[in-house]
Each structure stands twice: as structure tokens, then as C-alpha cells.
């Protein structure tokens, strides 16, 4: 065996090392269930124009931003909640939610040492000690705590490259020309019920701008965490890659245990110009509710990228193990000729979780290409739906799509559904759709048992194998975390 | 090493094994032959703990311990290995990952330290060479896209890697051409030693030309109706199972 092949084997061995980690994780209780007692400032429940103005004022926003929020709010008032997703939940009382929560204002901080130690402890529990991150990992972290950005690292080294990575509130003040040009340009405030609500009340989020020809030297990462009880979190993220630029962005989420359902309605907008590429990876682990289906996050997210320039590329990779309800369709508008859209997804529903997720690939430019790989895993009473739209426009000569949609069932009481929509207006295009549904094989488990591997590890191994095509798209550390999450989410689910 | 006493087992409520008695000592190779549906594969599945097979009576001691009380993975860690008649595919998991996990689980159970990557790779190289296995087979997903012959060779490769005490070969010869049969058999013969034992389940005598058994048993309708040395296999080959069946009928009449 030559050296290259040996290396290959070693790299493929990461799985078995992870299996060891899995063995340590014996508790099936939600691991990240703790509450930080930082004093926070929370608005009274309810939503009206005054609340929208208050949010804008709290954030010292310019008048044009306040106006934009108000337009969104007025539009939202006339809208109705969508009922088409294949999910069921009690009606949300939008007047029973507080729309703003921030850690109490502190004077501006110059270094991490000045950050509230309680907060730093929280980050440590999350496994992201900022100091260490700063020193060791090469990942810049814009930590969003509840709704206000508290600490941002690596700003300096990014600044040297001309990269802007900051909270969106900061960007509104410091880079109004970019915000005016791009905010709402991919997901307008009229887009859908939750996107409109988000536009009216968004609290904070990240802003990234990569200048022409720059390859971002590190993976950018934001950790979100809902902390105040009954505070909906409305994140807004905007990433722009100018001509020939490249950035990989990681989004990871955890949330503490709550009895009351928490609403999370984020909006993410991506824009790539000529020859630019954005890779956006998510590991979503919001609290899924308990085993009886009580509590858990409602995750109603609008994520969309526009490949505006030719030869540009947007790639979404997501691992969704959390939330009571997930409603999410990271999409690509392939406007530029030869642009590429990708969507790689693993969605897990266990106990009483429900997910309706998928993607939209809108082919407008010539020779645009898209790939969709969706892996749905249902366990317990979980209900998992893939919903995807492939649209080939009139002018999309030579457009191509490949969709692969696999479902795995872990119990007799769970469900897997596939809703593919295909609209083709150009005859030179090629659209392929493949779908499979399988029950996790008793014969596979027995085979692994017979080689000395426990049933729990066998299930993890089979599921990880099933998801491999998606995991390999994730950055290394994220892939490891995703495997662990998957193991925890599915613990004891095969009986 | 293995002592089977009055073993009865059901599949889907139907009685398949009807009182099996068998003693296998270290260093021995036993062959179980019999016509289709006689219960050969059932015996292999019952011994390894497949839960689709229900033991209704009898007991089995493996190195003096109650085998039927152990779950399948414990039996494997205690040193029992089944070369499957139909090896199972595990998409997305490489043979190397699978084997390393299995090997380390077995070693951990036996209070041995885990192998380092280098030790593991060395062992892979050694064992792959014995079976003339292509290196790429190791990095491919477990049994996915393997030919029938590759799957069977992979089973024997796993046996060599995991070094079990007791090996069950379930119709390992089925679907093999003569060259593959020779390679697979040589793998078994190389591994055969005074400290381990084999139970070879086969329909045809052919395999026993390559893996010479110490004892041959004929299984018919869930019972061992005749035992003998390796010459019994040749006799069966010559006269067919009808000979045994008629002999059995004679006995029943008496």
C-alpha cells in the first residue's frame, strides 16, 4: 500500500474516533440546557409601531432604517401566517412575545478582559472560549448574545485584508451605503410573513463584506444563543462577496431548556458577484422540546442567496437536529451565467419534532448548475418533510439540476414526506430527481453487533454513513460536532 | 470450547432446530452438511444471537459460559465470529473505519489497549496480502458494490483482522468460483490453529476438499442424524442426501 492510500485510510478513520466520543455521551437530556443569569433588559410583550420605533432607537439607527422597519411592519400587519407547511402547532400570539432583549448597556469594551465574566462562562459552556478561539483556532467569532453583539474578535486581521465582519447594527451606522444597497435586496421585506416580521423587529446579526479579489483567510463564525425567557430572536445576516472573493461562513446554534415555545425567525441574505463564492454552513441545535413534545423552538427561517455575477457560486450546507418545528428553505437564485447553487442537508426529527425543509433553485442564467442532496432522518414520532423547488427560467439555456433526496426511518411511528416541485421553461435544460426511503436495517445492526459493535454505536455508524455526502461538505470541526449532535439526537431511538 | 445441548429454536413461530447436540473442542474443525431447509443457517444465527431466531429449549456453553445469555456484541467480543452467507452493505462507512471500530471494541472488552493507526495499517496490509485483496477495498464502503466473491473474501479478511476463537462459516463457498474458493480456504487454513475452532456450514462437499474437517455432521429436519469423519462428506457427495433420508426413515420405522 503506498503512502497516499494510507493517508486516505487514516482520514477516513475519523469516524471511528468519533465513535469513542459518542460513547461518552450517555445522557439523552438536552446537553446545553443552562440559563445564564446576566441582567438583561427586556421590552414588554406586544408589537406595534411604537415598539418598532423603540427597537430602532435603542440601536441608535438612522431615520432611513427606522422607516424601512416601519414599512415592513405595516406590510406585515396585512399578511397572514402561512399554513401550507406540513407542520402542526398551536397558533402563535404575536402580541404575547417580547421583541427586544439586550444585556444591560455597558461602556464600550476594549478587550475580552472587560467582558462580563458570566458571559465568558457561557461561551465556555458552549465550547467556544473566546480567548482560546482568538489564539488557537483561526476562527473569528462574532458572538451574538441574545440580541446584541457583545464581543467581536479577529477584527484587526480581517481589516488588513479589507474585510468587514461586524454586527449588522454596526454596519447600519458605519457602512450605510452597503446596507442601503444590499439589505432586503435578496429577501425583500414583502417576501413572506416571517421575513416581514424580521425586517420590522430584527435585533442584530452579522454583516460580512469581502472586497474584490480577496479570499477570506479564515472561516467566519457566529454563535447564536437565545437566553431571555420568551424573547423571540430575530437575527438578520447579510454577506456580500464582491468579484472574485471567497468566504466560508459557519453558523452554529444552541439554546437553553424552556417550557414555553420560543420563536426564532431569522433572515439570511447572500450576494455573490462575478466569480465569487460563498459557502454557508449551519449546525442547528435549538432546543427540540422534551420527549412528550413540550417546549422547543419554532424555527421559521428565510435564507436565500443570489448568484448575481457570472461563474459565481453559493453553497448551503445544513445539519438540523434541533427545534420543535423547522421551516426553512435555503435557496439560490442563479442569475449570472454559469453560476452554481448547492444545497446539502441533514435534517433529523426525533420524539415529536417536525421539520419542513428543503431548497429552491431558481435558474435564470445560461448554463447554471445546481445540486441538491437532502438526507432526512425520522425517529420516534418525528415528522420530516423535504420540500424543494427547481425552476428553470426561459433564458436558462443548458441549465442542469441534480436532486437526491433520501429518507431514513428509525421507528414505526415517524413519517417522511417528499414534496418536489419542478418547473421547466427551457427545453435545453436537464433536471434529475432521485428519491429513496428506507427503514434502518435490522440486518445492518446485527451485522455490526456480530463484529462486536453495540447497537447504539451501530445506529450511529449507519446514520453517519447515510449522511456522509453532506458531512463531507462541512468544515472539519463542524463535521465532528455534527456527528456528535446526530448521535445525541438519536440516542435510544431504535427499539 | 463450544457445547450445544438439546437445542431447540423457532423462526416466525415455526420450529426449525429440534434438539441439537454438539461438542466442539479447541483445534477442531466441524462441518455441518445437510439439504436446503434442514436448519444449517438457523444454527449459525442462533449461536450468534440474531434476535429473529427464538431459542425455546436447551443450552449452549461457550468456554464454560452461558452463550445464550449474552447479547450479540458480547458473543462477538468473547471471540465468536460469523462469516455471513449474505454479507450486509453499510453505505458511507469505509471498511477501515468499520474494522477499526470493531477491533477496538473487542480489544477494549478483553482489556487490551487500542491499536494505533500504524499498527492497524500494518495489520491490514498483512492480512490483505494473504487474501490477495486490492488495497482500495479497504477504503471502500463496507460491501457496497462488492462482487459476490469480494464480499466473501471480505468476510474472511475480517476474520483474520479480528482473530476470533470460534468461527462459523455460513455457506462461505456459495457463489465462489474455484479460484476464489481456493483463496478463501487458504485464508481459513492459515488461521486454523490448536487454540481456535471452526464450524463450517455447507451444502456441498466441494469446500471440504479445501478445508479439511475433523468431523462431519449431517443435519436433517433440525436434528443431527449422522456424524462421522471427513469420509462421511465424500459418501454424501457420492450417494446424495436421499441416502441419509432413507436411512433416517428406516430408523424412524424401527
Amino acid at each position: 500500500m503506498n503512502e497516499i492510500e494510507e493517508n486516505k485510510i487514516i482520514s477516513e478513520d475519523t469516524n471511528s474516533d468519533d465513535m469513542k466520543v459518542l460513547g461518552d455521551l450517555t445522557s439523552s437530556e438536552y446537553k446545553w440546557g443552562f440559563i445564564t443569569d446576566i441582567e438583561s433588559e427586556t421590552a414588554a410583550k406586544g408589537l406595534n409601531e411604537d415598539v418598532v420605533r423603540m427597537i430602532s432607537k435603542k440601536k441608535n439607527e438612522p431615520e432611513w432604517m427606522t422607516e424601512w422597519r416601519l414599512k415592513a411592519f405595516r406590510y406585515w400587519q396585512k399578511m397572514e401566517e402561512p399554513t401550507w407547511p406540513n407542520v402542526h402547532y398551536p397558533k402563535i400570539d404575536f402580541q404575547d412575545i417580547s421583541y427586544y432583549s439586550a444585556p444591560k448597556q455597558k461602556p464600550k469594551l476594549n478587550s475580552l478582559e472587560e467582558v462580563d465574566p458570566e458571559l465568558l462562562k457561557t461561551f465556555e459552556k458552549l465550547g467556544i472560549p473566546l480567548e482560546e478561539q482568538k489564539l488557537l483556532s483561526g476562527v473569528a467569532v462574532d458572538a451574538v448574545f441574545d440580541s446584541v453583539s457583545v464581543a467581536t474578535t479577529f477584527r484587526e486581521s480581517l481589516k488588513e485584508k479589507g474585510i468587514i465582519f461586524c454586527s449588522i447594527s454596526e454596519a447600519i451606522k458605519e457602512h450605510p451605503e452597503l446596507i442601503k444597497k444590499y439589505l432586503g435586496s435578496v429577501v425583500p421585506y414583502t417576501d413572506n410573513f416571517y421575513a416581514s416580521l424580521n425586517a420590522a423587529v430584527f435585533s442584530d446579526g452579522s454583516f460580512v463584506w469581502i472586497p474584490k479579489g480577496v479570499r477570506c483567510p479564515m472561516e467566519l463564525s457566529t454563535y447564536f444563543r437565545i437566553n431571555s425567557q420568551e424573547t423571540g430572536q430575530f437575527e438578520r445576516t447579510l454577506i456580500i462577496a464582491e468579484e472574485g472573493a471567497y468566504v466560508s461562513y459557519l453558523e452554529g446554534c444552541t439554546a437553553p431548556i424552556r417550557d414555553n415555545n420560543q420563536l426564532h425567525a431569522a433572515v439570511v441574505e447572500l450576494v455573490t458577484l462575478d466569480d465569487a463564492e460563498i459557502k454557508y454552513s449551519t449546525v442547528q441545535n435549538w432546543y427540540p422540546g422534551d420527549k412528550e413534545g413540550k417546549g422547543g423552538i419554532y424555527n421559521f427561517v428565510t435564507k436565500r442567496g443570489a448568484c448575481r455575477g457570472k461563474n459565481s457560486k453559493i453553497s448551503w450546507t445544513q445539519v438540523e437536529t434541533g427545534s420543535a418545528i423547522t421551516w426553512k428553505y435555503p435557496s439560490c437564485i442563479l442569475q449570472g451565467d454559469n453560476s452554481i447553487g448547492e444545497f446539502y442537508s441533514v435534517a433529523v426529527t426525533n420524539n415529536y419534532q417536525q421539520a419542513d425543509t428543503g431548497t429552491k433553485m431558481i435558474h435564470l442564467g445560461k448554463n447554471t448548475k445546481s445540486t441538491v442532496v437532502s438526507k432526512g432522518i425520522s425517529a420516534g414520532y418525528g415528522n420530516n418533510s423535504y420540500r424543494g423547488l427547481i425552476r428553470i427560467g426561459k433564458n436558462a439555456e443548458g441549465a442542469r439540476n441534480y436532486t437526491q433526496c433520501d429518507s431514513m426511518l428509525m421507528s414505526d411511528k415517524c413519517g417522511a414526506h417528499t414534496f418536489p416541485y419542478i418547473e421547466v421553461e427551457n427545453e435545453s435544460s436537464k433536471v434529475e430527481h432521485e428519491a429513496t426511503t428506507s427503514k434502518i436495517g435490522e440486518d445492518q445492526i446485527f451485522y455490526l453487533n456480530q463484529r462486536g459493535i453495540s447497537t447504539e454505536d451501530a445506529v450511529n455508524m449507519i446514520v453517519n454513513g447515510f449522511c456522509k455526502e453532506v458531512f463531507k461538505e462541512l468544515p472539519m470541526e463542524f463535521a465532528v460536532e455534527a456527528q456528535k449532535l446526530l448521535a445525541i439526537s438519536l440516542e435510544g431511538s431504535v427499539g | 470450547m463450544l457445547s450445544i445441548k438439546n437445542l431447540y429454536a423457532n423462526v416466525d413461530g415455526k420450529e426449525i432446530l429440534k434438539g441439537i447436540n454438539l461438542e466442539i473442542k479447541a483445534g477442531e474443525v466441524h462441518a455441518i452438511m445437510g439439504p436446503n431447509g434442514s436448519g444449517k443457517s438457523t444454527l449459525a444465527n442462533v449461536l450468534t444471537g440474531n434476535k429473529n431466531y427464538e431459542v425455546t429449549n436447551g443450552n449452549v456453553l461457550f468456554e464454560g459460559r452461558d452463550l445464550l445469555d449474552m447479547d450479540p456484541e458480547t458473543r462477538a467480543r468473547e471471540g465468536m465470529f460469523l462469516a455471513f452467507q449474505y454479507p450486509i452493505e453499510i453505505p458511507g462507512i469505509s471498511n477501515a473505519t468499520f474494522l477499526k471500530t470493531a477491533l477496538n471494541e473487542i480489544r477494549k472488552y478483553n482489556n487490551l489497549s487500542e491499536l494505533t493507526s500504524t499498527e492497524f495499517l500494518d495489520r491490514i496490509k498483512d492480512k490483505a496480502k494473504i487474501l490477495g485483496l486490492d488495497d482500495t477495498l479497504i477504503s471502500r464502503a463496507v460491501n457496497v458494490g462488492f462482487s459476490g466473491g469480494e464480499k466473501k473474501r471480505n468476510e474472511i479478511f475480517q476474520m483474520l483482522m479480528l482473530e476470533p476463537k470460534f468461527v462459523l462459516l455460513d455457506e462461505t463457498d456459495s457463489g465462489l468460483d474455484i479460484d476464489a474458493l481456493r483463496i478463501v480456504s487458504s485464508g481459513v487454513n492459515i488461521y486454523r490453529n490448536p487454540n481456535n475452532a471452526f464450524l463450517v456450514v455447507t451444502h456441498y462437499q466441494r469446500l471440504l476438499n479445501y478445508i479439511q474437517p475433523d468431523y462431519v455432521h449431517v443435519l436433517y429436519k433440525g436434528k443431527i442424524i449422522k456424524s462421522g469423519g471427513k469420509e462421511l462428506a465424500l459418501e454424501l457427495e457420492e450417494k446424495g442426501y436421499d441416502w441419509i433420508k432413507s436411512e433416517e426413515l428406516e430408523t424412524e420405522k424401527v
Side-chain angles (χ1 to χ4, degrees):
Chain A
M1 203 181 309
N2 64 40
E3 229 170 42
I4 295 168
E5 274 161 356
E6 282 182 12
N7 288 338
K8 193 173 167 199
I9 290 171
I10 290 168
S11 69
E12 297 219 354
D13 269 344
T14 48
N15 265 343
S16 67
D17 292 333
D18 299 334
M19 302 289 296
K20 270 184 286 166
V21 180
L22 301 182
D24 301 334
L25 303 164
T26 46
S27 158
S28 60
E29 288 298 305
Y30 186 69
K31 194 180 158 212
W32 287 280
F34 51 85
I35 296 160
T36 309
D37 51 5
I38 281 181
E39 291 178 82
S40 60
E41 189 184 24
T42 302
K45 288 176 179 177
L47 186 56
N48 52 46
E49 290 203 7
D50 289 342
V51 172
V52 175
R53 281 200 186 87
M54 182 275 285
I55 293 169
S56 191
K57 196 174 172 213
K58 280 272 175 206
K59 306 179 82 61
N60 297 318
E61 286 176 353
E63 185 58 29
W64 56 266
M65 196 65 233
T66 315
E67 280 308 310
W68 192 74
R69 286 175 179 274
L70 285 169
K71 272 194 281 183
F73 174 71
R74 286 167 198 146
Y75 194 87
W76 175 76
Q77 279 186 303
K78 286 177 273 172
M79 298 173 90
E80 286 191 21
E81 256 181 281
T83 51
W84 50 263
N86 187 25
V87 293
H88 306 277
Y89 54 92
K91 206 163 164 52
I92 299 169
D93 181 353
F94 288 92
Q95 294 303 334
D96 195 36
I97 293 170
S98 164
Y99 289 87
Y100 184 75
S101 166
K104 277 196 174 167
Q105 282 296 321
K106 295 261 163 76
K108 217 167 165 65
L109 308 173
N110 296 317
S111 72
L112 281 172
E113 286 71 40
E114 295 173 39
V115 174
D116 187 332
E118 277 292 308
L119 187 52
L120 292 177
K121 257 187 244 163
T122 303
F123 289 135
E124 270 166 45
K125 284 184 203 164
L126 284 167
I128 46 155
L130 286 184
E131 294 101 323
E132 252 183 68
Q133 294 255 358
K134 206 170 173 180
L135 289 168
L136 301 170
S137 68
V139 177
V141 174
D142 174 5
V144 175
F145 187 76
D146 270 37
S147 309
V148 172
S149 295
V150 182
T152 302
T153 52
F154 277 95
R155 192 86 62 87
E156 288 309 308
S157 62
L158 293 174
K159 212 185 232 171
E160 279 169 28
K161 296 250 177 194
I163 294 168
I164 303 170
F165 178 39
C166 62
S167 74
I168 201 135
S169 328
E170 253 180 287
I172 289 167
K173 278 168 262 172
E174 288 169 26
H175 309 284
E177 69 297 341
L178 287 172
I179 294 292
K180 280 181 186 165
K181 187 171 174 190
Y182 290 109
L183 190 73
S185 76
V186 186
V187 180
Y189 67 77
T190 54
D191 193 79
N192 69 70
F193 185 83
Y194 298 107
S196 300
L197 179 63
N198 175 290
V201 301
F202 72 89
S203 34
D204 215 330
S206 298
F207 176 77
V208 179
W209 182 78
I210 314 288
K212 190 172 170 178
V214 170
R215 216 183 144 81
C216 185
M218 57 190 80
E219 266 147 357
L220 300 180
S221 167
T222 299
Y223 290 80
F224 298 99
R225 187 178 174 85
I226 296 178
N227 198 61
S228 273
Q229 192 150 11
E230 289 175 70
T231 302
Q233 189 158 9
F234 303 92
E235 292 298 331
R236 184 112 202 167
T237 297
L238 174 59
I239 302 175
I240 301 138
E242 296 279 345
E243 284 173 34
Y246 168 85
V247 63
S248 167
Y249 189 87
L250 317 181
E251 172 199 31
C253 316
T254 60
I257 287 177
R258 294 291 178 203
D259 276 335
N260 300 317
N261 289 303
Q262 293 178 302
L263 177 63
H264 180 76
V267 171
V268 176
E269 295 176 278
L270 311 181
V271 178
T272 49
L273 302 184
D274 287 358
D275 305 303
E277 179 178 351
I278 297 175
K279 186 172 168 59
Y280 193 102
S281 311
T282 305
V283 171
Q284 186 268 117
N285 182 34
W286 301 112
Y287 178 52
D290 66 14
K291 285 191 171 147
E292 276 71 50
K294 194 165 175 253
I297 303 282
Y298 292 176
N299 190 23
F300 302 139
V301 182
T302 306
K303 288 185 169 175
R304 195 176 301 153
C307 286
R308 298 238 165 104
K310 58 181 193 299
N311 309 317
S312 64
K313 179 175 175 184
I314 287 177
S315 180
W316 299 98
T317 306
Q318 61 172 21
V319 176
E320 305 275 323
T321 62
S323 295
I325 299 172
T326 300
W327 180 92
K328 180 180 173 186
Y329 314 91
S331 304
C332 297
I333 299 167
L334 304 172
Q335 226 171 316
D337 291 348
N338 309 315
S339 61
I340 296 171
E342 292 175 341
F343 174 74
Y344 298 95
S345 169
V346 168
V348 179
T349 52
N350 196 1
N351 299 320
Y352 286 88
Q353 281 176 277
Q354 308 173 60
D356 193 307
T357 184
T359 185
K360 287 190 265 187
M361 292 291 173
I362 314 293
H363 292 254
L364 301 175
K366 291 182 179 58
N367 300 313
T368 45
K369 267 189 272 186
S370 64
T371 303
V372 175
V373 177
S374 164
K375 304 279 180 175
I377 300 164
S378 314
Y381 294 85
N383 216 343
N384 211 325
S385 301
Y386 168 83
R387 191 183 300 274
L389 168 68
I390 307 300
R391 180 183 292 156
I392 310 285
K394 273 203 299 286
N395 303 320
E397 288 289 328
R400 293 186 61 172
N401 160 265
Y402 172 74
T403 300
Q404 185 193 330
C405 206
D406 299 323
S407 306
M408 184 182 266
L409 303 173
M410 310 276 282
S411 79
D412 297 330
K413 299 185 177 65
C414 58
H417 313 271
T418 307
F419 304 99
Y421 305 84
I422 298 173
E423 300 170 10
V424 177
E425 290 177 38
N426 187 303
E427 284 183 8
S428 69
S429 65
K430 195 173 159 193
V431 177
E432 289 174 79
H433 181 92
E434 284 180 22
T436 65
T437 301
S438 57
K439 179 137 198 293
I440 188 160
E442 276 181 18
D443 53 350
Q444 288 179 319
I445 294 173
F446 177 64
Y447 189 69
L448 296 174
N449 283 160
Q450 214 301 304
R451 298 301 185 248
I453 299 168
S454 71
T455 299
E456 197 81 50
D457 288 346
V459 169
N460 289 333
M461 199 179 242
I462 294 163
V463 169
N464 277 324
F466 176 71
C467 299
K468 194 185 182 182
E469 287 156 280
V470 175
F471 286 165
K472 73 173 199 250
E473 297 295 327
L474 288 172
M476 187 61 184
E477 321 81 64
F478 243 37
V480 172
E481 186 173 331
Q483 290 186 357
K484 281 191 244 168
L485 275 182
L486 212 59
I488 295 168
S489 325
L490 292 171
E491 227 162 57
S493 56
V494 168
Chain B
M1 180 178 281
L2 190 77
S3 167
I4 304 173
K5 290 217 169 67
N6 199 31
L7 185 65
Y8 283 76
N10 288 353
V11 183
D12 297 331
K14 195 181 165 215
E15 191 166 77
I16 306 290
L17 298 185
K18 301 169 183 171
I20 303 279
N21 289 290
L22 193 60
E23 289 285 335
I24 299 175
K25 296 194 182 71
E28 293 178 350
V29 173
H30 290 240
I32 296 250
M33 301 186 70
N36 288 333
S38 58
K40 302 189 299 290
S41 280
T42 299
L43 180 61
N45 277 289
V46 166
L47 291 177
T48 46
N50 188 330
K51 66 178 179 197
N52 293 327
Y53 297 77
E54 186 200 356
V55 174
T56 52
N57 203 355
N59 64 69
V60 181
L61 293 181
F62 182 46
E63 302 217 293
R65 299 173 60 184
D66 185 356
L67 182 77
L68 301 179
D69 213 31
M70 299 175 197
D71 56 28
E73 58 268 34
T74 308
R75 298 180 199 203
R77 293 167 189 172
E78 286 280 345
M80 181 166 271
F81 181 93
L82 171 63
F84 282 67
Q85 182 177 4
Y86 304 109
I88 307 295
E89 298 182 2
I90 315 283
I93 297 296
S94 74
N95 244 338
T97 298
F98 162 60
L99 271 172
K100 198 176 179 199
T101 307
L103 188 57
N104 283 333
E105 286 295 336
I106 293 168
R107 290 179 66 90
K108 205 162 57 188
Y109 181 85
N110 292 289
N111 295 317
L112 296 167
S113 63
E114 294 189 359
L115 288 188
T116 65
S117 286
T118 325
E119 288 168 331
F120 178 70
L121 286 174
D122 285 348
R123 187 187 285 217
I124 279 189
K125 272 191 255 181
D126 287 353
K127 308 303 182 189
K129 207 187 286 169
I130 292 173
L131 294 170
L133 279 181
D134 189 347
D135 287 352
T136 59
L137 205 77
I138 312 304
S139 47
R140 277 160 63 189
V142 181
N143 293 323
V144 177
F146 285 27
S147 70
E150 281 176 328
K151 282 184 183 174
K152 294 298 176 78
R153 267 201 273 179
N154 195 27
E155 293 292 294
I156 300 305
F157 173 63
Q158 291 177 35
M159 177 198 79
L160 294 176
M161 287 295 291
L162 301 178
E163 300 183 330
K165 285 181 219 152
F166 183 79
V167 179
L168 281 149
L169 302 177
D170 188 5
E171 307 271 5
T172 297
D173 51 331
S174 69
L176 288 188
D177 62 27
I178 204 76
D179 292 330
L181 184 62
R182 202 172 281 143
I183 294 168
V184 162
S185 308
S186 77
V188 170
N189 288 328
I190 283 169
Y191 185 56
R192 193 170 168 178
N193 68 51
N195 300 316
N196 58 33
F198 288 78
L199 184 59
V200 182
V201 170
T202 182
H203 186 78
Y204 299 105
Q205 191 270 336
R206 189 175 73 147
L207 177 67
L208 304 180
N209 289 335
Y210 297 93
I211 303 171
Q212 299 238 334
D214 300 301
Y215 300 96
V216 174
H217 311 277
V218 179
L219 190 66
Y220 182 63
K221 289 189 177 169
K223 276 185 185 171
I224 292 176
I225 55 165
K226 201 170 178 64
S227 295
K230 62 184 173 211
E231 66 287 347
L232 180 57
L234 294 169
E235 211 172 341
L236 273 176
E237 177 83 347
E238 201 178 303
K239 300 183 183 171
Y241 286 112
D242 287 343
W243 159 62
I244 295 282
K245 287 181 200 169
S246 54
E247 210 172 66
E248 166 77 355
L249 284 175
E250 292 295 314
T251 332
E252 274 175 12
K253 273 178 200 163
V254 174

